[in-house]
Amino acid sequence: MIVMGGIIGAGIFVNPSVVARQVPTPLLVFVPWAIGGVIALIGAFVYAELAVLQPRVGGQYAYLRDAYHPIVAFLYGWTLLLVVQTGGMAGAAIIFGRYFRELSGLVVPEQVIAAATLGILTLVNCLGIRSGSNVQSTLMLLKLAAIGLLVGVGFSLVGPTTVDSTVSLAVPGDGGALKGLAAAMVPVLFAYGGWQTATFVSGEMRNPRRDLPRGLFLGVVGVIILYLLVTYVCLRALGHAGLANTTTPASEVMRLALGPRGAKIIACGIAISTAGFLSQSILTAPRVYYAMARDGVFFKAVGRLHPRTRVPVAAIVLQGVWAVVVALSGRYEQILNYVVTIDVLFFGLTGASLLVFRARARRDGTEQAQGDLVRVPWHPFTTCLFVVACWGVAISTLVRFPQNAGIGVVILGIGALVYRFWVAPRSKV
């Protein structure tokens, strides 16, 4: 539930149209989703092996720290708090506020609803890991029900479109279909992102060596199936041109099947899906800030566990407060491109860390002793493919959006200066 909840947000209901606008034929609509699914599945195996090698609180943060240098891990946590996680949470919360206001009829700014939602889910997760995971599981089941409804209605009540689905669409630039596929991979990989956050709580699992690899594999495979089914239903009902020309494909399918009532039902599903994503984000990411504080490179209070609930309350509250600030500012749209750039940059670094750990094991003669652990199939080819794919998306985004991506680079630079502030007092002792 944590893995799937970290991946599936509101994007599943809108991204098929984003991809359709980038490629010239119906068949090519499926290709980015299939490629993105394979990359995500390889990434899941990479993170699963890392999780059993390093079953520590903080997940990705711990891998980067132990493979390279503490500053690399700090920069990851720094950008996670200021950009990647809280920016994504703020954006999702405002989407929730938009649909909640539409469904309830409340005359309240969507940013206010977003802030209230973030506050409530932050409070729930402060009550303990059991409380947070129970809410996450409930929202995930409701989210799956909404997706199942969309797929079921699309198959049973909506016939194949009568619109000419072979209409050729304009593809950006002069590279034809290949450039269109490359452009489509950015939103697709963004839509598949989130499975890695399950590793943040590996240190709190009863049996991470057994359960985390299973959860990562089953969760990613489940999402691949759902994404392909939703894409097929939308393409079947609306046609290629119709899918490319709408920004709300799920609502259009439900409207065709059940009229305005259907559109309202799926709006409710989108709101639930978004709330599930928020719950998962609030549950997992604070473990990174907690690990940073335990390493002495963040506020000491963030590294304390509540004596009764055994969760890092200060870390959870810090993240919630900053996400509320971003949501109320309403500027979350402007950070999308550098969120993607920074996110996949650290994905690639984390994938490469497995190469580092494997090399160390060979050097120390401990590789044979690790033979019973989960392994990435066809390593190192698949691991290198994952790293190259992630860094390829980072470079592509930098080239296409240099101004926005440059903001991410500036934040990284500031983080390096802040890190020196944290370690300087310790170096003098």
Side-chain angles (χ1 to χ4, degrees):
M1 293 300 176
I2 289 176
V3 172
M4 295 183 76
I7 300 173
I8 301 174
I12 181 66
F13 300 102
V14 297
N15 278 344
S17 63
V18 179
V19 174
R21 284 193 287 273
Q22 303 292 341
V23 295
T25 66
L27 182 60
L28 287 179
V29 174
F30 295 99
V31 173
W33 293 107
I35 295 174
V38 170
I39 293 171
L41 193 57
I42 295 172
F45 274 111
V46 169
Y47 276 67
E49 181 171 340
L50 287 169
V52 296
L53 286 173
Q54 306 274 327
R56 303 177 184 178
V57 173
Q60 192 171 348
Y61 170 84
Y63 313 151
L64 294 169
R65 178 193 61 205
D66 297 344
Y68 305 112
H69 187 277
I71 191 173
V72 179
F74 174 83
L75 290 175
Y76 166 71
W78 171 260
T79 55
L80 190 75
L81 175 62
L82 292 182
V83 179
V84 177
Q85 194 74 10
T86 49
M89 286 167 55
I94 290 182
I95 291 174
F96 175 84
R98 188 172 301 159
Y99 281 99
F100 184 85
R101 188 176 64 172
E102 182 179 321
L103 290 166
S104 64
L106 287 175
V107 188
V108 179
E110 57 194 28
Q111 286 88 351
V112 174
I113 300 174
T117 304
L118 288 166
I120 292 170
L121 290 174
T122 296
L123 177 62
V124 167
N125 281 279
C126 286
L127 298 177
I129 188 76
R130 174 73 61 182
S131 173
S133 62
N134 286 343
V135 170
Q136 166 61 28
S137 295
T138 301
L139 290 171
M140 187 63 216
L141 289 172
L142 292 172
K143 182 190 305 189
L144 292 175
I147 295 171
L149 177 65
L150 173 64
V151 172
V153 166
F155 272 113
S156 60
L157 298 182
V158 181
T161 180
T162 57
V163 179
D164 182 10
S165 60
T166 63
V167 175
S168 182
L169 298 176
V171 178
D174 301 323
L178 190 60
K179 183 167 282 191
L181 284 174
M185 287 308 300
V186 174
V188 164
L189 287 181
F190 185 76
Y192 273 114
W195 41 266
Q196 77 286 349
T197 56
T199 66
F200 296 165
V201 295
S202 60
E204 297 166 76
M205 290 181 173
R206 291 174 182 167
N207 193 343
R209 292 175 182 266
R210 180 197 67 191
D211 295 336
L212 189 58
R214 290 180 184 179
L216 283 166
F217 177 75
L218 294 174
V220 172
V221 169
V223 170
I224 292 171
I225 294 171
L226 288 176
Y227 275 22
L228 290 174
L229 280 174
V230 170
T231 301
Y232 174 76
V233 164
C234 292
L235 194 61
R236 178 176 180 267
L238 303 175
H240 183 216
L243 180 58
N245 290 326
T246 181
T247 56
T248 55
S251 296
E252 290 297 325
V253 172
M254 292 295 288
R255 188 175 287 109
L256 283 174
L258 301 173
R261 181 181 60 176
K264 197 161 189 176
I265 291 172
I266 203 62
C268 183
I270 294 171
I272 291 172
S273 178
T274 307
F277 168 80
L278 286 172
S279 175
Q280 195 270 0
S281 300
I282 294 171
L283 172 68
T284 56
R287 275 66 186 174
V288 174
Y289 321 135
Y290 168 82
M292 291 169 64
R294 299 293 291 180
D295 284 347
V297 291
F298 211 49
F299 299 107
K300 288 183 180 180
V302 176
R304 298 191 185 115
L305 297 177
H306 191 277
R308 184 175 60 83
T309 62
R310 306 304 298 168
V311 296
V313 173
I316 295 172
V317 171
L318 174 66
Q319 176 186 255
V321 169
W322 185 249
V324 167
V325 170
V326 177
L328 290 175
S329 72
R331 299 176 61 85
Y332 62 92
E333 297 99 336
Q334 300 176 7
I335 68 172
L336 175 61
N337 291 318
Y338 67 83
V339 164
V340 175
T341 305
I342 299 301
D343 212 12
V344 295
L345 170 66
F346 282 106
F347 276 173
L349 281 171
T350 306
S353 72
L354 180 59
L355 301 173
V356 175
F357 289 130
R358 288 271 197 124
R360 286 180 186 170
R362 284 194 300 271
R363 183 191 62 202
D364 300 337
T366 59
E367 189 172 30
Q368 198 66 30
Q370 298 173 355
D372 60 330
L373 303 180
V374 63
R375 292 299 207 187
V376 178
W378 304 299
H379 175 90
F381 171 75
T382 47
T383 304
C384 291
L385 177 63
F386 174 74
V387 173
V388 169
C390 291
W391 287 347
V393 173
I395 294 170
S396 172
T397 311
L398 270 168
V399 171
R400 293 177 63 203
F401 308 102
Q403 184 174 358
N404 288 340
I407 297 174
V409 175
V410 169
I411 291 175
L412 276 175
I414 294 173
L417 296 175
V418 172
Y419 176 78
R420 300 307 306 169
F421 166 79
W422 285 110
V423 299
R426 289 192 300 162
S427 62
K428 294 177 182 178
V429 176

